Structure formats: structure tokens, C-alpha cells
Amino acid sequence: MADWIYVLNPLKDTLDGEPSDKETMHRLAEEEPELEFWLSRRNRMRPGDRLWFFFTHPESAVAAVARVDEEPWEDPDGPGTSYLVAATLLPEATKALYRDPVGRDELALGQVRSVQRVKPEALPVLLARAGL
């Protein structure tokens, strides 16, 4: 199993027309947890991997988590070479992260890319804070 940081900028990104902020993700985890997320490249995600959602604004922190349901696939309607990945938000873990997000400094992040692997030293903090 691999763990991935998935960056969402609430000022630019949307989830089906809604802001991609931690409040929306918290609500979706309860109401509609099965989602598809856009990827600029395929990545090597596998079912069972985790996506940790890092919100860039107003606080730079991880405040939601999902389980990858399927390997990424090409988006037939996407521009150029874009991909989609199906994932299910984990309600209890997302609720825990919503209450107590993991800040950028705790993640040992350098340059933030749209999707990147979680650094090994950050994983215990994420798991503990999410109650996993």
C-alpha cells in the first residue's frame, strides 16, 4: 500500500462545482464519499492506497483522507493526457483530520506538487491524527 498527498487549492480547484475546501470534503465524507479525482499523470496508484488531501488555503494542512478504489484511467473527455482515479473518503478518519489537521511543517514537504508520495517520516503523524 502506498500513501499519496493530493493537493487541493480551494481558490482554483472545484469538486463538481463546489469549492474544494476542507468543509466540503468533510460534508462529502458523510453524504457522498465515493468520488473521482483528476490527475495530471497516471501515477502508480493501486486499489487500497490512500490519498491524503492537502488544502493550500486558508491553512496549509491535510484535513481529509480517502482510499483508492481503482487504478487511474485515462479521462476520455479530459484535455491532453489527463487521468481520473476513483476513491472513497473515509468518514471517521476525515472527521478526525478535520478537527485536528496535519500542518505543512509536520509533513516535511518541500515543493508541493499536485500529487506526491507521503514522506516516510510524515506517515506516522498522519495515521495517528486520522485515528488509523
Side-chain angles (χ1 to χ4, degrees), residues 2 24 28 43 47 57 63 90 106:
T24 299
L28 289 172
N43 297 68
H57 294 288
L90 304 177
E106 297 174 276

mmCIF file of all heavy atoms in Angstrom, residues 2 24 28 43 47 57 63 90 106:
data_model
loop_
_atom_site.group_PDB
_atom_site.id
_atom_site.type_symbol
_atom_site.label_atom_id
_atom_site.label_comp_id
_atom_site.label_asym_id
_atom_site.label_seq_id
_atom_site.Cartn_x
_atom_site.Cartn_y
_atom_site.Cartn_z
ATOM 1 N N ALA A 2 0.496 2.227 -0.790
ATOM 2 C CA ALA A 2 1.231 3.490 -0.849
ATOM 3 C C ALA A 2 0.331 4.617 -0.340
ATOM 4 O O ALA A 2 -0.896 4.525 -0.373
ATOM 5 C CB ALA A 2 1.688 3.780 -2.275
ATOM 6 N N THR A 24 -16.163 21.248 2.542
ATOM 7 C CA THR A 24 -16.833 20.455 1.507
ATOM 8 C C THR A 24 -16.433 18.986 1.616
ATOM 9 O O THR A 24 -17.280 18.098 1.561
ATOM 10 C CB THR A 24 -16.491 20.997 0.104
ATOM 11 O OG1 THR A 24 -16.950 22.347 0.003
ATOM 12 C CG2 THR A 24 -17.143 20.164 -0.989
ATOM 13 N N LEU A 28 -18.816 15.838 2.246
ATOM 14 C CA LEU A 28 -18.873 14.750 1.268
ATOM 15 C C LEU A 28 -18.510 13.403 1.894
ATOM 16 O O LEU A 28 -19.046 12.370 1.497
ATOM 17 C CB LEU A 28 -17.960 15.042 0.075
ATOM 18 C CG LEU A 28 -18.429 16.151 -0.863
ATOM 19 C CD1 LEU A 28 -17.349 16.467 -1.890
ATOM 20 C CD2 LEU A 28 -19.737 15.775 -1.547
ATOM 21 N N ASN A 43 0.405 8.251 -12.433
ATOM 22 C CA ASN A 43 0.915 7.821 -11.126
ATOM 23 C C ASN A 43 0.823 6.298 -11.028
ATOM 24 O O ASN A 43 0.298 5.643 -11.905
ATOM 25 C CB ASN A 43 0.186 8.508 -9.965
ATOM 26 C CG ASN A 43 0.391 10.000 -9.969
ATOM 27 O OD1 ASN A 43 -0.093 10.693 -10.840
ATOM 28 N ND2 ASN A 43 1.122 10.515 -9.020
ATOM 29 N N PRO A 47 -5.438 0.020 -5.983
ATOM 30 C CA PRO A 47 -6.530 -0.092 -5.013
ATOM 31 C C PRO A 47 -5.966 -0.352 -3.615
ATOM 32 O O PRO A 47 -5.031 -1.143 -3.447
ATOM 33 C CB PRO A 47 -7.338 -1.291 -5.529
ATOM 34 C CG PRO A 47 -7.070 -1.299 -7.009
ATOM 35 C CD PRO A 47 -5.627 -0.873 -7.138
ATOM 36 N N HIS A 57 -5.253 26.532 1.237
ATOM 37 C CA HIS A 57 -5.821 27.739 1.840
ATOM 38 C C HIS A 57 -7.021 27.370 2.681
ATOM 39 O O HIS A 57 -7.703 26.405 2.363
ATOM 40 C CB HIS A 57 -6.267 28.732 0.768
ATOM 41 C CG HIS A 57 -5.160 29.298 -0.050
ATOM 42 N ND1 HIS A 57 -4.264 30.201 0.434
ATOM 43 C CD2 HIS A 57 -4.784 29.067 -1.320
ATOM 44 C CE1 HIS A 57 -3.400 30.519 -0.514
ATOM 45 N NE2 HIS A 57 -3.692 29.826 -1.584
ATOM 46 N N ALA A 63 -6.440 17.602 5.757
ATOM 47 C CA ALA A 63 -7.652 17.583 6.569
ATOM 48 C C ALA A 63 -8.693 16.591 6.053
ATOM 49 O O ALA A 63 -9.865 16.689 6.395
ATOM 50 C CB ALA A 63 -8.252 18.990 6.641
ATOM 51 N N LEU A 90 -12.841 8.429 3.719
ATOM 52 C CA LEU A 90 -13.016 7.673 4.951
ATOM 53 C C LEU A 90 -13.649 8.600 5.991
ATOM 54 O O LEU A 90 -12.973 9.497 6.521
ATOM 55 C CB LEU A 90 -11.659 7.149 5.433
ATOM 56 C CG LEU A 90 -10.897 6.292 4.415
ATOM 57 C CD1 LEU A 90 -9.543 5.880 4.962
ATOM 58 C CD2 LEU A 90 -11.714 5.080 4.003
ATOM 59 N N GLU A 106 4.582 19.661 9.674
ATOM 60 C CA GLU A 106 4.596 18.290 10.182
ATOM 61 C C GLU A 106 4.760 17.257 9.069
ATOM 62 O O GLU A 106 5.064 16.097 9.332
ATOM 63 C CB GLU A 106 3.303 17.992 10.941
ATOM 64 C CG GLU A 106 3.112 18.854 12.171
ATOM 65 C CD GLU A 106 1.761 18.625 12.785
ATOM 66 O OE1 GLU A 106 0.782 19.254 12.338
ATOM 67 O OE2 GLU A 106 1.684 17.788 13.716
#
